[in-house]
C-alpha cells in the first residue's frame, strides 16, 4: 500500500477499535461522501470513515438529514468504499429506513451492506430501536449507535441545542447507552451533550464512545469533513475546529482559472497537443 501517512496500514476492524479503547488509544473518525475525498481521508490514516446522512445537508443542500433516501446513501457509500483500503467504513441508515419495524429495518440494512460493501451501519436512537438493532446484528451486520442530538429527530426536538442537560434526559441517555452496548453495538456516537455526561458514559461502557460536541473525555472524535476543512460557511458551533479554509482556497483558484480563460492565458503552448 503506498501513499499512506501512517505505518500501520492494516484494515481497521470493529475488534481493533474496541482494543484501541482498552489500550487508551483515541479513535479518529471523519465523514466522507465521495470516492476522491474518501481516498484522501483514508490515506491520511483515519480510523473510521462515516458515510453520514449529513450528505443530505452537505452534498444535496437540504436543511435537514430527513430527505436522503436509501438509494442515495447507497450511491454515496459505494463511492466511498471504492476509495478506502484501511479505514472502517460505516454507513448511516437514513430516516425512514429502520423506524417502521425490525423486518423492514433488517431488509434495508442487508440491501445497504450488499450494494455498498461497507463494514458497518449506524442507527440513531435508544431503547425504542433495540429490537431492530438486534435483528440487524443477528443478520451479522455490525451496528454503531448514536445518542444525544440525533438529527433525524430534529422535528421532535425543535432545536439543534445541546441535549440531555436535564437529569431525566441524561438518565435516559445513560440507560440507552447501556442497552445499545448490551444488545451488541460495537461503538456509540454521542452528539452535542454535556462533556461531563459523555465522560461518564465513556467510562461506564467497554465499547468505544465517539463524540461530536461531547468534549474530550470520550474515546474518539468525529467531525463532518466539509465543516473541518472550511468548505461550509455560516455553521460555526462551539465544537467545530476548522483545520483549513478550503472555501477561500477554492474560490481563489477558481477565480484565477476564470481570469486565465478570459485573458487567453490558459491554455498555453505547453498545455496543448
Ligand atoms: O451524519 C453525520 O455526519 C453524523 C455525524 C455528525 C456523527 O451522524
Amino acid at each position: 500500500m503506498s501513499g499512506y501517512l501512517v505505518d500501520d496500514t492494516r484494515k481497521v476492524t470493529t475488534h481493533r477499535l474496541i482494543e484501541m479503547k482498552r489500550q487508551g488509544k483515541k479513535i479518529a473518525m471523519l465523514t466522507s461522501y465521495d470516492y476522491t475525498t474518501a481516498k484522501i481521508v483514508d490515506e491520511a490514516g483515519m480510523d473510521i470513515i462515516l458515510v453520514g446522512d449529513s450528505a443530505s445537508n452537505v452534498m444535496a443542500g437540504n436543511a435537514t438529514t430527513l430527505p436522503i433516501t436509501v438509494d442515495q446513501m447507497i450511491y454515496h457509500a459505494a463511492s466511498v468504499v471504492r476509495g478506502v483500503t484501511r479505514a472502517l467504513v460505516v454507513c448511516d441508515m437514513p430516516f425512514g429506513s429502520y423506524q417502521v419495524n425490525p423486518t423492514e429495518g433488517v431488509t434495508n440494512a442487508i440491501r445497504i451492506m450488499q450494494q455498498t460493501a461497507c463494514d458497518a451501519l449506524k442507527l440513531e436512537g435508544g431503547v425504542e430501536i433495540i429490537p431492530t438493532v438486534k435483528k440487524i446484528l443477528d443478520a451479522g451486520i455490525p451496528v454503531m449507535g448514536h445518542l444525544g442530538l440525533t438529527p433525524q429527530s430534529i422535528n421532535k426536538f425543535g432545536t439543534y441545542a445541546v441535549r440531555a442537560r436535564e437529569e431525566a434526559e441524561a438518565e435516559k441517555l445513560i440507560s440507552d447507552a447501556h442497552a445499545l452496548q448490551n444488545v451488541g453495538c460495537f461503538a456509540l456516537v454521542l452528539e452535542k451533550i454535556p462533556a461531563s455526561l459523555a465522560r461518564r458514559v465513556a467510562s461506564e461502557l467497554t465499547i468505544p464512545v465517539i463524540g461530536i460536541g461531547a468534549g474530550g473525555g470520550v474515546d474518539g472524535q468525529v467531525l463532518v469533513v466539509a465543516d473541518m476543512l472550511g468548505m461550509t460557511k455560516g455553521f460555526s458551533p462551539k465544537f467545530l475546529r476548522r483545520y483549513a479554509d478550503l472555501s477561500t482556497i477554492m474560490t481563489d483558484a477558481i477565480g484565477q482559472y476564470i481570469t486565465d480563460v478570459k485573458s487567453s492565458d490558459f491554455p498555453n503552448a505547453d498545455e496543448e497537443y
Side-chain angles (χ1 to χ4, degrees):
M1 231 180 283
S2 63
Y4 276 77
L5 298 184
V6 287
D7 294 332
D8 189 351
T9 55
R10 287 175 302 154
K11 174 77 181 171
V12 178
T13 62
T14 56
H15 292 287
R16 259 180 75 198
L17 293 169
I18 291 168
E19 187 60 18
M20 283 173 78
K21 167 158 181 154
R22 233 181 34 78
Q23 296 172 342
K25 292 183 182 161
K26 294 273 185 176
I27 296 165
M29 172 164 154
L30 194 62
T31 67
S32 294
Y33 317 102
D34 67 277
Y35 168 85
T36 303
T37 308
K39 197 165 164 57
I40 294 168
V41 171
D42 188 46
E43 291 185 352
M46 199 59 55
D47 298 310
I48 307 174
I49 296 182
L50 172 66
V51 187
D53 59 358
S54 50
S56 176
N57 311 78
V58 177
M59 303 303 287
N62 293 310
T64 72
T65 59
L66 275 67
I68 200 157
T69 64
V70 171
D71 284 342
Q72 289 165 340
M73 288 304 297
I74 286 173
Y75 171 80
H76 287 296
S79 306
V80 165
V81 166
R82 284 192 286 271
V84 172
T85 310
R86 179 184 178 278
L88 185 94
V89 179
V90 179
C91 179
D92 264 341
M93 288 197 71
F95 176 67
S97 68
Y98 61 95
Q99 289 90 348
V100 177
N101 59 55
T103 304
E104 203 173 300
V106 74
T107 304
N108 282 318
I110 289 170
R111 199 172 141 229
I112 295 171
M113 295 299 291
Q114 276 185 327
Q115 295 182 15
T116 69
C118 71
D119 301 305
L121 301 176
K122 175 163 80 59
L123 279 71
E124 297 181 4
V127 284
E128 63 284 358
I129 63 159
I130 291 294
T132 301
V133 171
K134 182 169 179 350
K135 216 164 166 61
I136 295 172
L137 287 163
D138 287 348
I141 300 169
V143 175
M144 173 182 274
H146 184 160
L147 296 171
L149 177 63
T150 46
Q152 292 179 13
S153 300
I154 189 58
N155 292 318
K156 186 171 84 179
F157 298 149
T159 164
Y160 283 99
V162 175
R163 303 302 312 176
R165 280 200 194 276
E166 306 301 325
E167 198 180 327
E169 194 178 339
E171 287 304 324
K172 175 168 170 19
L173 187 144
I174 292 165
S175 75
D176 282 344
H178 281 278
L180 289 165
Q181 169 170 281
N182 293 343
V183 76
C185 287
F186 73 91
L188 174 66
V189 167
L190 291 180
E191 181 164 352
K192 222 170 172 186
I193 63 167
S196 56
L197 175 59
R199 181 184 296 274
R200 177 173 164 191
V201 173
S203 73
E204 289 186 10
L205 298 193
T206 54
I207 59 171
V209 174
I210 315 289
I212 172 165
V218 290
D219 308 303
Q221 298 293 326
V222 56
L223 285 175
V224 168
V225 66
D227 294 336
M228 60 87 79
L229 290 178
M231 295 174 80
T232 50
K233 288 177 166 175
F235 176 68
S236 296
K238 191 175 172 183
F239 68 77
L240 175 59
R241 187 180 292 182
R242 290 199 196 279
Y243 287 86
D245 182 8
L246 281 202
S247 174
T248 302
I249 292 171
M250 290 171 77
T251 303
D252 288 351
I254 293 161
Q256 187 61 54
Y257 167 71
I258 293 169
T259 302
D260 291 353
V261 169
K262 290 188 181 291
S263 67
S264 298
D265 179 80
F266 176 78
N268 62 27
D270 291 337
E271 292 161 331
E272 65 188 19
Y273 296 101

